Amino acid sequence: MSYKKHLHQPSALLLMLCAVMVLAGCGVERNIKKGEKFLALGEYYDAAVQFKTAYQRTPPKDRPSRGRLAARMALCYDRIASSQRAVAAYRNVIRYKQDNGETHRRLADNLMRTGSYREAEKEYQLALDSMPDDRLLADGLRAASTAAAAKERGSKYVVRRMDVFNSRRQDYSPMLYGDHFQQLYFTSTRNEAQGDELSGITGVKPGDIFFSEKDDKGKWSNPQPIETGLNTVADEGTPAFSADGREMYITQCLTDPSYPRYAQIAVSSRSDAAWGKATKLEISRDSLSSFAHPALSPDGNWLYFTSDMPGGKGGLDIWRVRLIGGTTGGVENLGEPINTPGDEMFPTFRPNGDLYFSSNGHGGLGGLDILIAKVGNDRRYHLEHPSYPLNSQGDDFGMTFEGVHNRGFFSSNRGDGRGWDHIYSFELPEVVQTIKGWVYEMDGYELPAAQVFIVGNDGTNRKLAVKGDGSFEQEIQPGVSYILLATCNGFLNHKEELRVSPVDESKEYTLQFPLASIRVPVLIDNIFYDFDKATLRPESEKALDGLVNLLNENPNVTIELSAHTDYIGSAEYNKRLSQRRADAVVAYLTAHGIAADRLTPVGYGKERPKTIRRKLTEKYPWLKEDDVLTEAFIRKLDKEKQETANQLNRRTEFSVLRTTYGMFDEKGNLKQQPKPKPKPELDPDEYEFIIE
């Protein structure tokens, strides 16, 4: 009995152990299948959890299986920038002898992200020994060998962590907004983001777009989510704005439990000071590629973005597509030297046209480094690396600039063991010369629909974006002569010239661009006559010279020059006086080179009292838009207001009659006008503006 008992007990234990091993094996297989499914969907965090569980359930003696599972874990940690975990996983791959050249490359990349440059150098060398022709490995080895010294040298950038914007989760891709850059929009996965589920990609909530506002004292408010239809339970982020501030381009990553996470670019329109629901922007018919990280060129003609679509240089590339009337057309890869076999992401622009982007394919200090692409005289991009502290061993990306100044905000995961991103400020002290201009209607409001073109004798020829308040900014270079031309549909052009001299400190030049309407009479302000006479007073010359310039800048325009009086005195006398005054203005213009057949002087006397436009009601609140200053209207006012109304009626105006003067020959055919060539001295009468 006892003998059987002793025989039976080991047999039972063996059977139980086998059953546990079978069940464990089934559990491991389930974990692996789930992990592979999550990985195929791009849900790297959830995939890593499954592979880690399978790894822990696999016996240490099963070294090949453990090594393969460590490789899957490492891949997932790599994708979510959890570098410390990735390093540990890749070392386990090597420990279990499942490594190859790619393992050592990836280990080196993650060692760079942790700032372990000497160890990274050794791993790059091991990888290069097995893949001697790999350009990225050679670049990585050079970067690892020089990174410590480059970081030690540093740069003049000043970088500060902005805790007011940051949370305990991820905060990244900031973008300044507003005519005075008083709002900051950015992506965040903080608890206030919409939705209750955690992202299978990152293990935190899907991103939403938040914003913060700066008050008059320069203090930023606590970030708030956009509460209109823009944010959803899916991922939204990386905002970028059109030049007029009416459209926001974002990256969306919609949820589908059975479909890979392909990012798309969507557009939200601003209406009644609120951002509406974003709609997908059709860039390509390619439905198996991601489109992300939108950025608008300074002229608003091109949308730049990141994609893994076929035809690139490898990994993620930066592409662009032309924006045409709210649609897109003609996708282009930026090519070399910007794109590499590595990843290029997060494009953005300074207003001067410099392209900033992030890459892990150009060497650097580790992870994604910010690079600057400047267009040289040869019309090609030339790259600069801003070095430390703008760049670090971590991922550095997502720049936004405070106008023309080299300051603003960016994001980085430096120093965060979980690989979470945070927002930092940056500033590069420099001497900058800028133009600040305003385009507005004469006797009216700003013209955000206007276009401004700038040409310089250094080869500059570009269109500038006009903001919602009619303003624009542009960085300019010392020693260069510039001409700026403002145009707007329904208005005459206005031109300004500027010669920029070298300076020792930053300087801003202020220029005004008042545009004359071709639809309504335009007041010629500050025209003065001797009392009860038609003699022009000397203080009128400045306004009259401005009219001479306007007619010279618009040589195909003819005008009616009209003079008006108040109702005091007889109609016949007022008409004769106003006619003589109109004749006097025309005589001044012809004496200064304006052809007489372009000018029609008319004296209306008191026949056409002034009609009030809305802008004038701001100065005189007792007047309303479309009020007509007739004698009956004025006599109802008190004496002080009566005199003001009479002054408004005593005016000199011009109205555009034709815009085709001199354009046709005697037979009515359009004259052939040869394109003028630019001269070295930038003759304003002979330079061609390239207007698209």
Side-chain angles (χ1 to χ4, degrees):
M1 180 75 181
S2 62
Y3 176 77
K4 287 183 178 180
K5 182 179 178 182
H6 283 289
L7 280 177
H8 176 73
Q9 284 182 335
S11 299
L13 288 173
L14 182 61
L15 288 172
M16 289 176 63
L17 181 60
C18 289
V20 169
M21 290 176 66
V22 168
L23 290 173
C26 292
V28 168
E29 288 301 319
R30 265 197 308 272
N31 292 134
I32 293 173
K33 286 181 179 179
K34 286 183 179 180
E36 294 295 348
K37 180 181 177 181
F38 288 136
L39 185 59
L41 294 173
E43 298 180 346
Y44 305 115
Y45 180 86
D46 285 350
V49 170
Q50 295 298 323
F51 290 133
K52 182 179 179 181
T53 303
Y55 177 86
Q56 291 172 335
R57 289 179 171 181
T58 300
K61 291 183 178 181
D62 189 353
R63 298 176 66 84
S65 295
R66 274 213 156 196
R68 287 190 291 270
L69 287 169
R72 301 310 264 171
M73 289 165 54
L75 173 63
C76 296
Y77 292 139
D78 209 336
R79 295 291 175 86
I80 59 176
S82 185
S83 295
Q84 291 180 352
R85 291 177 178 177
V87 167
Y90 280 124
R91 282 179 168 154
N92 278 333
V93 177
I94 297 170
R95 172 188 174 193
Y96 290 115
K97 300 187 183 304
Q98 297 297 309
D99 57 306
N100 53 27
E102 192 62 27
T103 307
H104 293 276
R105 179 214 297 274
R106 295 295 183 183
L107 175 56
D109 288 344
N110 282 277
L111 287 167
M112 290 286 288
R113 286 178 180 163
T114 64
S116 304
Y117 297 131
R118 286 188 179 180
E119 294 179 64
E121 190 175 354
K122 295 176 183 177
E123 296 299 329
Y124 278 129
Q125 187 61 65
L126 287 171
L128 196 58
D129 289 342
S130 61
M131 296 181 283
D133 297 326
D134 193 302
R135 171 191 156 188
L136 278 181
L137 280 174
D139 290 343
L141 180 59
R142 278 193 296 271
S145 62
T146 60
K151 191 172 181 180
E152 181 69 25
R153 286 193 303 270
S155 69
K156 294 182 179 179
Y157 278 93
V158 178
V159 170
R160 295 185 178 90
R161 178 164 162 153
M162 296 296 294
D163 288 335
V164 65
F165 303 133
N166 294 317
S167 66
R168 295 182 178 181
R169 297 295 184 266
Q170 300 193 79
D171 305 282
Y172 60 96
S173 288
M175 186 58 60
L176 285 162
Y177 176 80
D179 294 332
H180 305 289
F181 312 105
Q182 71 277 17
Q183 293 184 351
L184 187 75
Y185 288 74
F186 60 93
T187 313
S188 180
T189 62
R190 64 188 63 198
N191 291 334
E192 291 79 8
Q194 290 192 27
D196 297 322
E197 295 185 7
L198 301 184
S199 168
I201 302 174
T202 61
V204 294
K205 276 194 170 186
D208 273 356
I209 296 176
F210 286 68
F211 74 98
S212 174
E213 292 189 274
K214 185 168 60 174
D215 62 22
D216 294 338
K217 296 181 181 179
K219 183 179 179 181
W220 290 96
S221 65
N222 291 327
Q224 299 294 324
I226 298 177
E227 294 183 344
T228 55
L230 178 67
N231 287 321
T232 70
V233 295
D235 269 302
E236 287 88 21
T238 65
F241 299 99
S242 60
D244 59 11
R246 296 174 184 173
E247 291 181 318
M248 182 196 300
Y249 293 77
I250 64 171
T251 304
Q252 271 189 335
C253 194
L254 302 179
T255 302
D256 190 322
S258 61
Y259 202 70
R261 298 293 192 91
Y262 293 116
Q264 64 183 30
I265 292 174
V267 186
S268 169
S269 297
R270 189 173 177 86
S271 177
D272 297 327
W275 294 105
K277 182 179 179 180
T279 57
K280 181 181 178 182
L281 180 70
E282 291 293 342
I283 294 177
S284 167
R285 294 181 180 179
D286 183 351
S287 61
L288 298 178
S289 298
S290 289
F291 302 87
H293 310 161
L296 278 297
S297 61
D299 60 11
N301 289 338
W302 294 90
L303 176 73
Y304 287 68
F305 60 94
T306 299
S307 180
D308 58 355
M309 62 170 43
K313 299 296 179 181
L316 296 170
D317 275 12
I318 296 176
W319 303 68
R320 71 174 188 172
V321 63
R322 184 177 284 277
L323 296 176
I324 308 169
T327 61
T328 60
V331 177
E332 299 178 8
N333 187 284
L334 293 196
E336 296 179 345
I338 289 176
N339 290 321
T340 70
D343 293 326
E344 282 70 47
M345 302 184 254
F346 299 99
T348 191
F349 283 91
R350 279 189 71 183
N352 66 0
D354 291 348
L355 170 63
Y356 286 65
F357 66 98
S358 293
S359 171
N360 59 17
H362 287 282
L365 302 181
L368 292 172
D369 270 24
I370 295 167
L371 288 103
I372 309 169
K374 297 184 177 184
V375 178
N377 294 330
D378 57 0
R379 299 294 177 183
R380 296 182 178 180
Y381 281 118
H382 299 266
L383 302 186
E384 296 180 9
H385 185 277
S387 196
Y388 184 82
L390 188 66
N391 283 313
S392 70
Q393 73 274 14
D395 291 329
D396 307 292
F397 60 98
M399 304 281 284
T400 185
F401 294 89
E402 188 181 327
V404 298
H405 305 288
N406 202 343
R407 64 174 180 256
F409 303 97
F410 73 108
S411 38
S412 176
N413 62 10
R414 63 187 66 185
D416 192 296
R418 293 163 294 188
W420 288 355
D421 307 305
H422 306 287
I423 294 174
Y424 293 76
S425 69
F426 73 90
E427 181 173 9
L428 179 62
E430 58 181 352
V431 176
V432 179
Q433 297 197 71
T434 59
I435 293 172
K436 176 83 171 183
W438 278 268
V439 188
Y440 54 92
E441 180 183 0
M442 281 186 179
D443 201 26
Y445 288 95
E446 61 274 358
L447 293 171
Q451 295 181 327
V452 176
F453 300 87
I454 181 171
V455 297
N457 61 358
D458 63 341
T460 299
N461 193 328
R462 71 167 57 104
K463 182 175 74 172
L464 307 181
V466 177
K467 300 176 185 176
D469 64 350
S471 70
F472 66 89
E473 284 184 284
Q474 175 63 31
E475 183 178 346
I476 50 179
Q477 301 301 320
V480 179
S481 293
Y482 293 96
I483 299 173
L484 294 96
L485 179 73
T487 71
C488 190
N489 188 31
F491 296 85
L492 300 183
N493 298 336
H494 183 90
K495 185 163 57 181
E496 291 286 341
E497 300 174 40
L498 181 67
R499 170 73 181 177
V500 185
S501 301
V503 294
D504 294 327
E505 57 185 27
S506 296
K507 182 177 180 179
E508 182 177 84
Y509 299 84
T510 302
L511 298 178
Q512 305 286 338
F513 293 82
L515 302 191
S517 174
I518 64 175
R519 300 187 180 97
V520 297
V522 178
L523 176 70
I524 310 173
D525 211 0
N526 298 320
I527 297 292
F528 305 101
Y529 307 92
D530 286 340
F531 178 70
D532 209 25
K533 295 180 181 178
T535 307
L536 286 165
R537 296 181 61 81
E539 53 265 40
S540 304
E541 289 188 6
K542 183 176 180 180
L544 290 170
D545 289 342
L547 184 55
V548 170
N549 289 336
L550 179 67
L551 291 168
N552 283 329
E553 291 168 3
N554 298 272
N556 302 120
V557 166
T558 65
I559 64 170
E560 176 187 279
L561 200 293
S562 60
H564 306 262
T565 66
D566 55 32
Y567 66 82
I568 301 170
S570 70
E572 184 179 353
Y573 176 81
N574 281 336
K575 190 153 188 170
R576 287 199 308 270
L577 176 62
S578 61
Q579 184 65 53
R580 295 202 315 274
R581 288 179 170 179
D583 290 337
V585 174
V586 167
Y588 185 95
L589 298 178
T590 55
H592 286 75
I594 304 301
D597 60 349
R598 296 179 62 193
L599 309 168
T600 303
V602 180
Y604 286 103
K606 59 181 180 182
E607 293 176 3
R608 295 191 177 184
K610 186 175 181 66
T611 299
I612 300 302
R613 300 186 65 191
R614 183 159 58 97
K615 181 69 173 178
L616 204 57
T617 64
E618 295 178 3
K619 185 175 182 180
Y620 304 108
W622 45 274
L623 292 172
K624 296 183 177 62
E625 186 177 7
D626 296 328
D627 280 347
V628 181
L629 302 184
T630 62
E631 181 177 353
F633 179 91
I634 294 174
R635 288 188 180 278
K636 294 178 182 178
L637 304 173
D638 59 45
K639 285 188 177 181
E640 184 178 339
K641 292 176 181 176
Q642 284 185 20
E643 176 52 29
T644 299
N646 283 327
Q647 288 176 359
L648 293 174
N649 270 334
R650 297 191 294 266
R651 68 200 190 277
T652 304
E653 296 176 332
F654 72 86
S655 301
V656 175
L657 299 177
R658 291 169 53 205
T659 58
T660 58
Y661 174 84
M663 294 177 64
F664 299 91
D665 60 22
E666 296 176 354
K667 296 180 180 180
N669 297 319
L670 184 65
K671 293 180 179 178
Q672 295 292 327
Q673 298 184 3
K675 292 183 178 180
K677 297 180 180 179
K679 289 186 174 182
E681 293 302 317
L682 197 61
D683 187 332
D685 295 324
E686 298 193 28
Y687 200 95
E688 176 189 4
F689 285 87
I690 301 175
I691 301 178
E692 297 179 348

